[in-house]
Amino acid sequence: MWNSCTNHDSLINSGNSETRSGATMSQGNKTYGEEEGEEDETLAMTGVDEDDDDDDDDDLDTFTDGDLDSGCEDGVLGCRDPFSSEVKPRILLMGLRRSGKSSIQKVVFHKMSPNETLFLESTNKICREDVSNSSFVNFQIWDFPGQIDFFDPTFDYEMIFRGTGALIFVIDSQDDYVEALSRLHLTVTRAYKVNPDINFEVFIHKVDGLSDDHKIEKQRDIQKRANDDLVDAALERIHLSFYLTSIYDHSIFEAFSKVVQKLIPELPTLENLLNIFTTNSAIEKAFLFDVVSKIYIATDSSPVDMQTYELCCDMIDVVIDISCIYGVTGDEGGIPYDKESMAIIRLNSTTVMYLKEVTKFLALVCFLREESFERKGLIDYNFHCFRKAIQEVFEVRLKVLWSRKLLSQRRRSRQATPNGTPRAPS
Amino acid sequence: MRSIIFANYIARDTRRLGATIDVEHSHVRFLGNLVLNLWDCGGQDTFMENYFTSQRDNIFRNVEVLIYVFDVESRELEKDMHYYQSCLEAILQNSPDAKVFCLVHKMDLVQEDQRDLIFKEREDDLKRLSRPLECTCFRTSIWDETLYKAWSSIVYQLIPNVQQLETNLRNFAQIIEADEVLLFERATFLVISHYQCKEQRDAHRFEKISNIIKQFKLSCSKLAASFQSMEVRNSNFAAFIDVFTSNTYVMVIMSDPSIPSAATLINIRNARKHFEKLERVDGPKHSLHMRMR
């Protein structure tokens, strides 16, 4: 468990108790101390997994650049982008054909209008797509055309499952879901055997056509059946979360937000930072949004109102759209969302919405009253501190992961010498 | 279409609309003092026959603008064209000075790569059929910004003192050193006038902006709020959207990042009084809107 405090030192010392990006560690003692001995010990357990990740580097793009040795020696981590795909949660999207997986991916991450998804063609072969460079979330869609062949040598399922934080299974609620449920059961049991830490999420999709009562009824039915299947297989330990979603409204974004939040180990720290910021600046509500996908990865402790969330999504849309039209310089390298991005929208109900850039992928969207906004200078200063703190939080994580990688590499090269003498890292 | 432009529907809500029975009259206030009489005529055959016989003089007299909507997916092209021609004849007889606009609608139902081709075909056909009258054709869909482009152009023709507005906007823009200044009508957010001092990359930006802001206004209304003003910045530009006169909104684009927001906002506020005086009334106009099933 993270201590919920923002002290930089204590963040480093309390260690990385929940690992998500790739390594399965035993459920026991996970403290990662600064002493050599402890480090080696913990690394011995993770070494194996790190190797597997390395092998699959080209496919999985777990690290941004292929060259692992550069920068490792001098220990310079500043040159690395602190928001490389190393730090991002990995999510798999699976389900039967025509359940809506590609549409979900397009609507959430590629800003496609839901109506245009009608023209998307069926995915015919095992298809994998990465959305790691433009968004905070490292996301892969796995689309299977027919029966899952778990023995197909082209794709190493075990490797993939081991490196996954969450598995989303999409069920088409408008169709007969008996087959979907059996596939769900098969997938979940398979994945659980490989990596018991995966979060299993079930999206009950295409609910836009159903009435509210109908939705609840369907959810209850699917939930019961899926859990019954698991009990029958003596796997009650597996926990499934269910969400009602549709690409025609904001429910898909809300569901995704919840899925992603479970995968961020720094979440309590981020929430605490947001709380401190909002109380000191007299802000009513604040969200930390991933700009591309409009998923929010953290919010302060006040209750979340769906409509407020939707309004924030719409505000981000407006800001990005206008920036695309006017804010991009002629050359290819222009991006609409950059360091200076900010927006202020005044609503007539004396509420002000304020958006500020936090990192390359993240933005802070807050709601405050007109009177509070008069002290904009103070709010901006607080925001400046907040932004620095957020960047430090992510940098710490990156340093931890990089050190781990470095050490596992050294360990590997040490183990590889034939005559037993330790070899210097190349 | 009428619901979206004039009555603040979002595209999805229009599924609930029923067929228009006979003629639906509405008076729309536009630019405060202008009143548009919108006649939405139902497209079913019986109504169409009716218009050309008994109601002919009533409907086609005193028309400033005829807007004819074609469904791109219609299976009865011959009949559509026949009705269209009857309309044109009636117009020639009763209001020969009317401007004619043809909207090729529901373009979203056509595959993207075929849209240009199909539209070009239709446009050529229609222009040929319309002689001696001139018709302007647009391709539209309620699901994107093409709708706004068509209606902006139509509405632009109806504004009485458009030249004067443009001259004043130009002076304003030059004084405050803006890259571009747009003037929107308040209710519909259609661009009624603009000035740009340098070439902008995106030729369709007006309708896109109309679409963007309109969508946002609608989302705000769900929370029983409405947006009043907006400022968007990044390292390359700053955009300000604010209430201007009682009937218009203004959008100012600045590309000089060293100019503080406060300066631009004060300038906008000072310009308001001047533009208020420019708004004048010329008398109610009468437009005709026909609908094709």
Side-chain angles (χ1 to χ4, degrees), chain A residues 143-194:
Chain A
D143 206 348
F144 295 88
Q147 273 303 111
I148 297 179
D149 184 4
F150 280 108
F151 299 103
D152 184 349
T154 349
F155 286 97
D156 191 349
Y157 297 93
E158 300 208 353
M159 174 52 44
I160 302 306
F161 284 144
R162 206 175 288 143
T164 298
L167 194 153
I168 301 177
F169 197 88
V170 182
I171 295 183
D172 183 350
S173 65
Q174 290 183 355
D175 204 3
D176 174 32
Y177 40 77
V178 173
E179 196 194 332
L181 281 166
S182 66
R183 182 75 63 81
L184 167 67
H185 182 75
L186 179 65
T187 313
V188 166
T189 42
R190 264 277 157 180
Y192 184 76
K193 280 204 189 81
V194 174

Side-chain angles (χ1 to χ4, degrees), chain A residues 33-74:
Chain A
E34 301 272 79
E35 294 92 355
E36 261 302 298
E38 255 183 86
E39 266 178 351
D40 281 356
E41 203 181 280
T42 22
L43 280 171
M45 289 190 285
T46 61
V48 177
D49 299 313
E50 291 289 20
D51 281 350
D52 295 325
D53 271 352
D54 291 349
D55 293 343
D56 225 340
D57 257 356
D58 304 16
D59 284 340
L60 295 182
D61 191 12
T62 352
F63 305 97
T64 38
D65 304 353
D67 192 353
L68 300 164
D69 290 326
S70 71
C72 277
E73 239 95 53
D74 40 6

Side-chain angles (χ1 to χ4, degrees), chain B residues 1-18:
Chain B
M1 201 189 295
R2 173 168 61 102
S3 315
I4 290 186
I5 296 283
F6 292 105
N8 286 329
Y9 270 51
I10 50 169
R12 216 167 62 225
D13 289 344
T14 58
R15 283 195 213 140
R16 285 190 257 135
L17 291 171

Side-chain angles (χ1 to χ4, degrees), chain B residues 10-204:
Chain B
I10 50 169
R12 216 167 62 225
D13 289 344
T14 58
R15 283 195 213 140
R16 285 190 257 135
L17 291 171
T20 315
I21 305 297
D22 205 4
V23 183
E24 278 183 17
H25 292 255
S26 44
H27 294 259
V28 179
R29 304 219 81 183
F30 189 76
L31 278 184
N33 298 317
L34 233 47
V35 176
L36 299 180
N37 292 324
L38 217 54
W39 294 39
D40 187 355
C41 309
Q44 272 105 335
D45 291 348
T46 36
F47 301 136
M48 300 294 278
E49 298 299 330
N50 200 7
Y51 303 146
F52 300 130
T53 47
S54 44
Q55 296 215 45
R56 194 185 175 99
D57 289 337
N58 182 24
I59 293 190
F60 290 98
R61 211 165 8 129
N62 270 337
V63 172
E64 294 276 336
V65 170
L66 166 67
I67 304 169
Y68 204 89
V69 185
F70 292 95
D71 178 350
V72 75
E73 292 233 309
S74 157
R75 309 256 169 221
E76 301 168 333
L77 259 174
E78 281 295 320
K79 193 155 65 137
D80 293 351
M81 293 303 183
H82 167 71
Y83 282 138
Y84 176 59
Q85 275 183 307
S86 316
C87 274
L88 287 180
E89 279 167 29
I91 287 281
L92 256 177
Q93 274 185 357
N94 296 321
S95 321
D97 293 328
K99 302 195 182 74
V100 179
F101 293 93
C102 297
L103 304 189
V104 181
H105 195 45
K106 302 195 189 171
M107 287 300 286
D108 51 287
L109 296 172
V110 176
Q111 282 271 18
E112 200 162 341
D113 42 3
Q114 298 189 351
R115 281 180 198 165
D116 285 333
L117 198 63
I118 293 192
F119 174 63
K120 195 83 189 43
E121 255 180 63
R122 287 295 175 90
E123 190 180 19
D124 291 338
D125 284 340
L126 288 170
K127 281 196 161 12
R128 195 174 21 99
L129 274 176
S130 313
R131 286 198 214 110
L133 286 167
E134 296 269 330
C135 86
T136 324
C137 299
F138 293 99
R139 40 177 270 202
T140 58
S141 157
I142 57 174
W143 297 98
D144 62 30
E145 78 273 357
T146 48
L147 190 63
Y148 289 92
K149 178 168 170 117
W151 279 89
S152 271
S153 318
I154 293 170
V155 141
Y156 187 79
Q157 315 257 359
L158 301 176
I159 301 170
N161 53 351
V162 104
Q163 294 300 334
Q164 198 180 14
L165 262 182
E166 286 188 340
T167 327
N168 278 285
L169 267 187
R170 185 176 35 180
N171 293 338
F172 175 53
Q174 284 170 346
I175 293 173
I176 65 173
E177 294 180 39
D179 267 11
E180 184 161 55
V181 178
L182 303 177
L183 208 60
F184 298 95
E185 196 274 334
R186 196 173 207 165
T188 57
F189 251 94
L190 297 173
V191 176
I192 53 180
S193 184
H194 80 281
Y195 168 72
Q196 71 200 57
C197 80
K198 65 166 141 145
E199 207 47 53
Q200 293 283 348
R201 280 172 52 242
D202 191 346
H204 299 286

Side-chain angles (χ1 to χ4, degrees), chain A residues 360-425:
Chain A
K360 202 162 75 165
F361 306 122
L362 301 176
L364 180 76
V365 181
C366 14
F367 278 79
L368 51 155
R369 307 217 67 82
E370 186 76 50
E371 313 85 69
S372 318
F373 198 65
E374 276 166 26
R375 289 178 291 155
K376 182 167 180 288
L378 189 74
I379 297 175
D380 284 342
Y381 176 73
N382 285 342
F383 177 76
H384 173 75
C385 301
F386 169 78
R387 191 166 177 263
K388 234 169 44 133
I390 298 273
Q391 292 181 332
E392 278 175 19
V393 170
F394 289 125
E395 252 167 54
V396 165
R397 176 171 179 74
L398 185 71
K399 275 192 201 149
V400 160
L401 290 168
W402 261 109
S403 317
R404 212 175 344 116
K405 178 124 203 97
L406 177 66
L407 284 162
S408 78
Q409 259 212 307
R410 289 201 181 129
R411 177 158 279 272
R412 242 186 313 133
S413 51
R414 239 179 278 154
Q415 288 168 343
T417 47
N419 59 5
T421 55
R423 192 190 284 160

